[in-house]
Amino acid sequence: MGKLLEMRESPVAVNEPIFRLLPRHRTVPIPNSITPIDGYPATLVIFKISASKFWQVRCRVAGHTQRKSTRSQSAQVARHFARQFYEQLLADHRIATLDATRVYSDNAGHTVIARSHPKNTRYSSAKPNGWTPDAPALTPPFAVYADHLLRNEQARVDRREYTLGSLQVLRNRLEGVILPALGDYAVTDVNYARLQRFTHSLSERFSSITVSQYLIAVRKVLSAAVSLGALQNLPEFPKVKAQTNSRGPFTPTEYWQLLRTSRALCGQPAPDDAHTLRVRHGLRQSDHTMPPDLAWVIGFMVNSFIRPSDLKTLKHKHVEIVRNANVYLRLTLPATKSHDKPIVTLQPAVRVYRALTKYHRLQGKANPDDYLFLPQHKDRAYAARVLAYYFNCVMAETGLKHGAQGQPRSLYSLRHSSITFRLLYGHGIDVLTLARNARTSVDMINRHYASTLTAEQNIGILQSRRPQARFNP
């Protein structure tokens, strides 16, 4: 009896020493790697296993445990993935619940709810009081069609027709602003008057272009309702004149200042302490000094017209050096924004490419399937974050974080500068050719990239004259 009481009071199992000697399965979570997600239920955690180098995510929703690989070695990226994964599971569960629910109007005009049997799709034999087979069904709320839209967009992401970043932006706009305001209304009640009140509330918080983007998301939800037969036509939307604020390009003097500063700071420690770099910016210990790749990124983007997102996908197999009457690079990049034609660079991009290839070849990172910039990082979202952080450090060092009109600058400003420099200094440049080579449209160049140009900057072209033909008798 005493031995039995001793066993009950023991804090560990009797076979604990033997259990510790047994090898753990390769898919069992490593105990010291289990990390909960702040602000979410305790069941949502990320962890590592011996069978994979990537972080895994696990959560419990509606009595079922779900787990999935985040496909990332970065803990910060894994946390972001875990939040998306959990929210998607909640949305799927909500849709399944709403699909099993039907709203009726009884004979007295009251709204009643009939739920389907949990084991089949037929309605329960216990009907609400006053329900008749001919009772009209009320239109489901706006939130139901928002969930349908998110599921459809997720399917497009799986088919690589839609980017995950765009889906996240749409989800944030719906869940953060739109659904709290419109989610509980029947979709037929979202009319012009309600949309106008919603637009007025947005105008108190956001710029005109942001308001128009929220209305586009609302239109997508209502279009899904039209496709599903809940609406006959889309309601009229309030007119919002979006005033675009183009990103501030750099001047040639500022460009050279950025280039010289990035070269001078190469190999220098980051301005923030190790704790801030790890916790706030998510940088690993090996990336606490400025990489040489940043100077190459600055020179390459200004001379190649590429977007910052292309830095994540550009590999050596996408680059071809062409030598004929002109020397340039031909970039056969993956399709971006429905554009898939090759990009040709300016000649200085060839020198940049040779320099980075020579450097990375010494580390064995210049093979066809290796990335051009920060090839040691297979997690390309993390590589882009490293480059963005150190570019902000260079702009802070040079005082160029904002343009002359106060526009905030980022890596995208290098692409803006690339196109602007061609418009300013390219002799007889054809805007259509420039737009096609930069994988954009003439309208985008006129509205954004050329919006900062003035007539005085091309005074030579304005004052030029055609040569007069001589008459030879």
Side-chain angles (χ1 to χ4, degrees):
M1 184 67 180
K3 186 176 181 180
L4 180 59
L5 291 174
E6 182 181 353
M7 290 175 61
R8 289 180 178 175
E9 294 174 358
S10 177
V12 296
V14 176
N15 63 345
E16 181 71 13
I18 300 176
F19 176 76
R20 288 183 178 276
L21 296 177
L22 295 176
R24 297 173 63 85
H25 195 274
R26 297 177 69 241
T27 59
V28 174
I30 300 173
N32 60 2
S33 70
I34 299 177
T35 306
I37 306 300
D38 294 338
Y40 285 79
T43 58
L44 178 62
V45 296
I46 59 173
F47 58 90
K48 284 197 169 183
I49 59 177
S50 301
S52 174
K53 62 182 179 180
F54 300 122
W55 284 92
Q56 312 292 312
V57 58
R58 181 184 66 198
C59 66
R60 188 172 180 83
V61 174
H64 299 281
T65 300
Q66 307 283 348
R67 59 187 293 174
K68 190 174 184 179
S69 171
T70 66
R71 305 297 299 173
S72 174
Q73 300 181 57
S74 168
Q76 182 172 354
V77 175
R79 292 189 191 96
H80 181 69
F81 181 93
R83 297 186 191 100
Q84 287 185 328
F85 181 63
Y86 177 74
E87 291 166 1
Q88 185 62 45
L89 288 177
L90 285 183
D92 292 342
H93 174 65
R94 182 182 181 186
I95 292 173
T97 304
L98 289 171
D99 286 345
T101 304
R102 192 170 182 180
V103 184
Y104 294 96
S105 177
D106 63 11
N107 295 334
H110 301 113
T111 299
V112 293
I113 297 176
R115 295 188 181 275
S116 64
H117 195 275
K119 293 185 179 180
N120 55 53
T121 57
R122 295 188 303 172
Y123 289 98
S124 171
S125 58
K127 300 297 189 294
N129 294 332
W131 180 88
T132 63
D134 298 328
L138 302 182
T139 306
F142 181 89
V144 172
Y145 298 100
D147 289 335
H148 275 287
L149 173 65
L150 290 175
R151 283 205 298 181
N152 291 339
E153 297 302 279
Q154 180 62 56
R156 292 182 60 201
V157 171
D158 297 338
R159 298 193 301 267
R160 300 183 183 275
E161 299 174 0
Y162 197 59
T163 64
L164 182 61
S166 299
L167 174 61
Q168 183 58 42
V169 170
L170 177 62
R171 180 182 286 112
N172 292 342
R173 288 173 179 164
L174 286 171
E175 297 179 353
V177 176
I178 297 174
L179 290 181
L182 303 175
D184 294 334
Y185 290 104
V187 71
T188 52
D189 293 338
V190 182
N191 50 26
Y192 177 81
R194 197 173 302 282
L195 290 174
Q196 192 174 46
R197 289 194 294 270
F198 177 61
T199 303
H200 291 167
S201 66
L202 291 178
S203 302
E204 297 174 356
R205 304 163 53 189
F206 305 112
S207 65
S208 60
I209 188 170
T210 304
V211 172
S212 65
Q213 290 169 347
Y214 276 106
L215 291 180
I216 289 173
V218 173
R219 185 185 294 273
K220 286 185 176 181
V221 175
L222 296 179
S223 297
V226 172
S227 300
L228 294 172
L231 289 177
Q232 294 295 327
N233 298 293
L234 286 175
E236 183 180 355
F237 275 71
K239 301 294 189 295
V240 177
K241 185 177 181 181
Q243 298 178 353
T244 58
N245 297 320
S246 59
R247 298 176 178 88
F250 298 103
T251 65
T253 302
E254 292 172 339
Y255 162 64
W256 284 109
Q257 190 177 356
L258 289 172
L259 206 55
R260 286 192 294 266
T261 304
S262 61
R263 290 170 179 170
L265 295 178
C266 177
Q268 298 297 315
D272 295 312
D273 59 85
H275 178 76
T276 302
L277 290 173
R278 183 180 67 256
V279 176
R280 181 178 179 184
H281 301 288
L283 299 191
R284 303 167 191 162
Q285 182 66 36
S286 58
D287 296 306
H288 287 190
T289 57
M290 184 171 294
D293 301 66
L294 183 63
W296 296 326
V297 165
I298 295 173
F300 195 85
M301 285 192 65
V302 170
N303 289 283
S304 65
F305 314 101
I306 64 173
R307 296 180 172 88
S309 58
D310 295 328
L311 298 174
K312 298 188 294 185
T313 59
L314 187 58
K315 296 182 177 181
H316 287 277
K317 65 181 180 181
H318 299 141
V319 182
E320 178 186 358
I321 300 179
V322 180
R323 302 176 184 274
N324 44 40
N326 299 286
V327 179
Y328 56 92
L329 300 178
R330 181 186 294 122
L331 308 179
T332 311
L333 287 162
T336 54
K337 294 191 176 182
S338 303
H339 298 279
D340 58 358
K341 298 295 186 294
I343 295 175
V344 294
T345 71
L346 304 182
Q347 186 168 347
V350 180
R351 295 195 297 270
V352 176
Y353 178 68
R354 286 175 178 169
L356 68 89
T357 302
K358 180 180 179 181
Y359 176 85
H360 289 308
R361 185 176 287 118
L362 297 177
Q363 284 77 39
K365 298 291 185 180
N367 300 311
D369 280 325
D370 287 326
Y371 296 101
L372 260 66
F373 304 103
L374 297 180
Q376 68 271 25
H377 296 308
K378 301 304 179 184
D379 186 343
R380 301 310 293 170
Y382 174 78
R385 189 163 64 249
V386 172
L387 292 173
Y389 169 77
Y390 282 108
F391 186 68
N392 282 329
C393 292
V394 170
M395 288 193 296
E397 178 72 18
T398 55
L400 301 176
K401 181 61 180 172
H402 294 87
Q405 306 299 325
Q407 315 100 309
R409 286 165 165 171
S410 64
L411 276 172
Y412 214 104
S413 299
L414 295 174
R415 169 179 165 86
H416 196 135
S417 303
S418 176
I419 296 176
T420 303
F421 290 170
R422 286 298 87 204
L423 293 172
L424 283 174
Y425 308 114
H427 178 66
I429 188 69
D430 178 17
V431 178
L432 177 60
T433 301
L434 177 62
R436 289 181 176 176
N437 189 62
R439 290 188 169 185
T440 186
S441 65
V442 174
D443 181 59
M444 287 295 292
I445 288 182
N446 289 332
R447 288 195 295 118
H448 294 280
Y449 300 103
S451 61
T452 57
L453 300 181
T454 63
E456 187 177 358
Q457 290 175 301
N458 277 321
I459 188 64
I461 297 178
L462 288 175
Q463 293 185 350
S464 62
R465 299 178 63 184
R466 293 181 180 178
Q468 295 182 356
R470 292 187 176 182
F471 175 73
N472 294 320

